Amino acid sequence: MLSRVADCLYWIGRYIERVENTARLLEVNLQLMLDFDSNDEGAETNWQAVLQTTLCVKSFYEEHQTANNQTVTDFLTFNRQNHTSIISSIHAARENARMIRDQITEEMWEAINELYHFVRESNAEAVWHDDVYTFFRRIKGYVYRMQGLTHSTYVRKEGYKFMQIGQFLERADQTTRILDLKTYLPLPETQSVGGVADGAGWVAVLKSSSALDAYLHVYPADVQGSQVAEFLILSPDFPRSLRFCLRQIDQHLRALSGTGEGFFSNPVEKAVGRLRAEVAYTTREEIDEEGLHHFVDRVQRTLNEINNEIFETYFALPAFDLEKEIARFLPETRPMQSQSQTQGTQSQKQG
């Protein structure tokens, strides 16, 4: 498979996953804002935490004075200058799909094309203004359809594996960022850790990760911060946990190279295998001891390094050294010329 095609498929997986995560994060926090007045300082603090999670604080405040329901959701949904916004991610995913149109199925192309045209329609912002929850549910529905059709119609060869690596790397990154959201939400002075406000914040984190029902199935008694962190990081079975995502990335990478379990054949497999093993053998007590924010920050740096290693291993074209290429061919060219000239001389002598 050409590196250009693999690169496009990897980023289609990442962009589509990012769209769904951003839509869910905005939908959940809009519901959370129902408990705040429009001028409440707590509301702005909450939206600043969302901007921190999406790494958009600086670019947002270059355009806006205040973070509220209208400005933040508009910036993260329709702002084309914000490269992490929903519309920018959809445009990038569709552009990647267009460049490799013959490498994906008709059903996948139709699904991503419908999503693209939905957000570009003139009434898309009208739908958003009339019923923002319906708008985000439609976005998520298009994404689920795209991902479902990929599983149902795409042949399980290299292209599928690159898409899955992109999807699960983005999901691991988003899960840790959403988990870190609670770090940026200071408790009111009248509230304490384990109180009502603290519990509501952790519920928002679980909902933002589509994890509330799964969490309550494991911990039916109540919602506690350390248990939420344990579930979203260490659960081996929940499909959005960090541990589950790393296992998927590791398996698809080794399937690409044919490397067996417990071995590595390139730097990216080594980096993923090392992080997967570290997370698998980490305990909740060790995360508490290090501090959740520091643990998440360290993991995110490693995920960025893994992304760079994937690029270097599979997508980057080797540097072309013209002088070395000329030197490589010259020794073969000269003897052939010399032999030909010798044969010609002998032929002339025989004649």
Side-chain angles (χ1 to χ4, degrees), residues 46-87:
N46 189 83
W47 283 121
Q48 287 173 345
V50 171
L51 293 169
Q52 289 277 4
T53 303
T54 52
L55 303 176
C56 293
V57 175
K58 183 179 178 182
S59 55
F60 173 82
Y61 280 106
E62 288 175 352
E63 295 189 19
H64 300 280
Q65 299 294 322
T66 307
N68 56 39
N69 295 11
Q70 175 74 29
T71 56
V72 175
T73 53
D74 179 72
F75 184 75
L76 293 177
T77 304
F78 290 109
N79 192 307
R80 294 175 184 274
Q81 304 306 315
N82 174 17
H83 69 279
T84 63
S85 70
I86 288 175
I87 196 168

Side-chain angles (χ1 to χ4, degrees), residues 291-310:
L292 178 59
H293 177 67
H294 288 96
F295 177 85
V296 166
D297 191 49
R298 184 164 56 81
V299 167
Q300 287 177 348
R301 286 199 301 272
T302 307
L303 292 176
N304 286 333
E305 291 169 5
I306 288 171
N307 175 72
N308 295 336
E309 291 290 359
I310 289 173

